[in-house]
Amino acid sequence: MSSLFLCCAAVAGDTGGRHPPERRLLLLGGRRAGKTSCANSILGDQVFQAGTETTHSNVGQTEIYGRRVTVVDTPPWGVPGHVADDGGGGNDDDDDSESATDGDDSGGGRQPRTVPASLDSEDPCMGAVLCPPGPHVILLVVSVSQPFKETQRRAAEDQLGALGGGTWRYSMVLFTGVDKLPKGTFVEEHIANTGEALQWLVERCGSRYHAFDNSKKDGDENTQVPELMEKVEEMITDNQGWYFEVNELILLEEEQARRALEEERMRMEEHARQRDQMIGGPPRELRLLLLGWKGVGKSSVGNTILGRRDFEVGQETEMCLRRQALVSGRRVTVVDTPGWDWFSVRRTPKRIRQESQRGAALLRPGPHTLLLVLPVVSSLTTRKRRTLLAHIEALFGERASLHTMVLFSCGDWLGRTPIEDHIQRGGRELHRLLEYCGNYYHVLDSKTPGKDSRSVSDLLDKIEEMVRENGDEAFLPVQSDEESSQSSDNTEPEDDCRGCQLQ
């Protein structure tokens, strides 16, 4: 159902009442369109402040020919895409003094790259709340001195779509800066010569338009405001007195949702800025080595971190594989390795142990972090924990604990249960494993790569925290070939284990 509803109002109003009949006008438009100057021209006074960016909708009232006129000025709508193409609209710097310093002026001659509305700015649709029960006419303000391309057309369509269905029958294009047209050129010629995007907009508004020269001062010869109000009356008559009634509750809910998303975006940007200051600016390289038992989801974890399917899943990894991607402003290199035996270092083939060491060599001068992948669905016994630590120390040395983090896979199995609660119930062996890793741990839902981007960003933050804590030992140095050969054979004998099952 549309977020707005139509409501009927008498055209003539209650002439016998205490208040004169009212006409409500809502102004929408992009940056440098001249909305604030138009609003002031209609009101016949400098009601709205020009020269600063309009961040919140403002309302003003006046009386014209016995009718109370309410005018709402709004922040500029966002234009999707990148910098607009030059040409077709003249030089933006040639705007008249008023429209060039309009409240939605962004400065500069080119259309700026679109920036999402900030917390300091509200959505233009919120302006409709200021003219209850709804606007009679929506004025789409377009400057003739700026190019009107497909991006601007889509912005207008998106803005009216956000208000709800049926808005076009209440819309009129209001051209500004017509004094900048070449001498002898009428606005009709401008519409015909500008291109299909502007023609579409005018036709979508039922070929209703008006032209403003904001450089004109009030006087007996300035008839542009009375002529605009005549067209407004014609629109109201054509619409049989109907106006657009605003559903304030839905608009407020949408604005709250937009602001929540914007707060999250700003939080992430501030976090990235602080991180860049601490580590000397992006791109920061992070080298990660995935380790663990067979079948624990190392390849899926690697895909989740990189945000794409770089590692083959569903089959046993036989050889190390290195992949790299730009993730959250960092250049992240991940090496996937074959899995170890669950219960014995000796039962892990020598070739597999050597592949684990070769994986570290692919990350020269050494990995920042050894990610020990542990499924949340498995329990940790004393034997399993000892086997994990024996693998790590036999292959990478005793100092490897400084660079090891437990990464819980299959995080979706937890549902709404916090990972801390899972650890608390995990028993003494899990606690001892985490103590060995300096209590560095994280959990990922590795089912769908790219879905859990926030959790991946948090993981990289923890890895960088580990790197800072390690100071001079920021990464685990890769051993020489001779050292690797000796360490891979230096394993402590363990009791054989038969009939063990995943628990």
Side-chain angles (χ1 to χ4, degrees), residues 53-56 75-76 117-124 255 258-259:
E53 183 179 352
T54 301
T55 58
H56 291 74
S118 67
L119 289 175
D120 296 329
S121 177
E122 69 179 8
D123 192 280
E255 176 67 5
R258 184 194 69 82
R259 293 179 72 85

Side-chain angles (χ1 to χ4, degrees), residues 246-303:
V246 178
N247 190 321
E248 295 187 22
L249 179 60
I250 291 181
L251 280 182
L252 289 171
E253 288 177 349
E254 292 176 350
E255 176 67 5
Q256 289 174 354
R258 184 194 69 82
R259 293 179 72 85
L261 288 174
E262 178 60 21
E263 286 178 352
E264 177 63 16
R265 184 186 68 84
M266 292 179 65
R267 187 191 73 82
M268 296 296 290
E269 288 184 352
E270 175 63 18
H271 194 72
R273 186 187 64 80
Q274 293 177 354
R275 182 185 66 246
D276 293 344
Q277 289 179 345
M278 287 188 292
I279 63 178
R284 164 80 176 190
E285 183 183 18
L286 291 176
R287 301 181 296 276
L288 315 179
L289 184 63
L290 299 174
L291 300 171
W293 297 312
K294 292 184 289 186
V296 295
K298 295 188 299 298
S299 301
S300 296
V301 164
N303 289 335

Side-chain angles (χ1 to χ4, degrees), residues 228-244:
L228 170 64
M229 295 310 300
E230 288 181 9
K231 294 181 180 179
V232 168
E233 291 302 316
E234 290 177 6
M235 282 188 63
I236 296 176
T237 302
D238 291 342
N239 288 326
Q240 300 179 343
W242 291 70
Y243 57 79
F244 216 73

Side-chain angles (χ1 to χ4, degrees), residues 268-502:
M268 296 296 290
E269 288 184 352
E270 175 63 18
H271 194 72
R273 186 187 64 80
Q274 293 177 354
R275 182 185 66 246
D276 293 344
Q277 289 179 345
M278 287 188 292
I279 63 178
R284 164 80 176 190
E285 183 183 18
L286 291 176
R287 301 181 296 276
L288 315 179
L289 184 63
L290 299 174
L291 300 171
W293 297 312
K294 292 184 289 186
V296 295
K298 295 188 299 298
S299 301
S300 296
V301 164
N303 289 335
T304 299
I305 294 173
L306 297 177
R308 61 196 188 201
R309 299 184 184 276
D310 278 346
F311 301 112
E312 190 70 30
V313 297
Q315 62 185 36
E316 188 173 341
T317 301
E318 296 291 340
M319 299 183 63
C320 293
L321 186 62
R322 179 179 60 188
R323 291 292 182 264
Q324 189 178 80
L326 190 64
V327 183
S328 299
R330 297 102 153 173
R331 188 170 61 248
V332 179
T333 304
V334 177
V335 171
D336 188 20
T337 63
W340 303 328
D341 185 84
W342 286 68
F343 302 102
S344 171
V345 175
R346 283 194 168 190
R347 286 168 51 174
T348 299
K350 180 179 179 181
R351 176 184 61 82
I352 299 300
R353 300 199 301 267
Q354 290 175 338
E355 275 296 300
S356 297
Q357 293 176 319
R358 192 176 75 87
L362 293 175
L363 295 169
R364 288 186 184 277
H368 291 101
T369 302
L370 308 179
L371 290 175
L372 184 59
V373 181
L374 192 69
V376 296
V377 295
S378 68
S379 61
L380 192 66
T381 64
T382 300
R383 188 173 187 82
K384 290 179 182 177
R385 178 186 62 81
R386 288 177 177 175
T387 301
L388 285 175
L389 302 189
H391 275 100
I392 292 173
E393 293 183 355
L395 300 175
F396 305 106
E398 294 181 356
R399 303 292 291 175
S401 62
L402 296 174
H403 306 275
T404 304
M405 176 185 296
V406 174
L407 182 57
F408 293 99
S409 61
C410 309
D412 52 295
W413 280 75
L414 292 174
R416 296 181 177 274
T417 302
I419 185 60
E420 289 75 17
D421 291 353
H422 171 75
I423 293 172
Q424 191 66 30
R425 297 195 297 262
R428 183 170 61 96
E429 296 305 322
L430 180 57
H431 294 166
R432 294 180 68 180
L433 176 63
L434 292 176
E435 289 174 4
Y436 173 86
C437 300
N439 286 314
Y440 276 105
Y441 63 88
H442 193 67
V443 60
L444 280 183
D445 176 0
S446 51
K447 184 182 296 183
T448 307
K451 177 183 177 182
D452 205 8
S453 58
R454 179 173 178 179
S455 183
V456 171
S457 181
D458 291 342
L459 167 65
L460 300 182
D461 289 343
K462 291 180 181 179
I463 291 173
E464 287 180 340
E465 179 184 344
M466 174 186 285
V467 170
R468 289 192 296 272
E469 286 290 329
N470 286 332
D472 294 338
E473 295 185 59
F475 58 87
L476 181 65
V478 175
Q479 296 176 328
S480 66
D481 294 339
E482 182 178 350
E483 291 172 332
S484 297
S485 176
Q486 292 175 354
S487 63
S488 63
D489 290 331
N490 184 22
T491 58
E492 297 179 3
E494 296 187 10
D495 295 335
D496 194 11
C497 180
R498 296 180 176 86
C500 296
Q501 295 178 341
L502 173 61

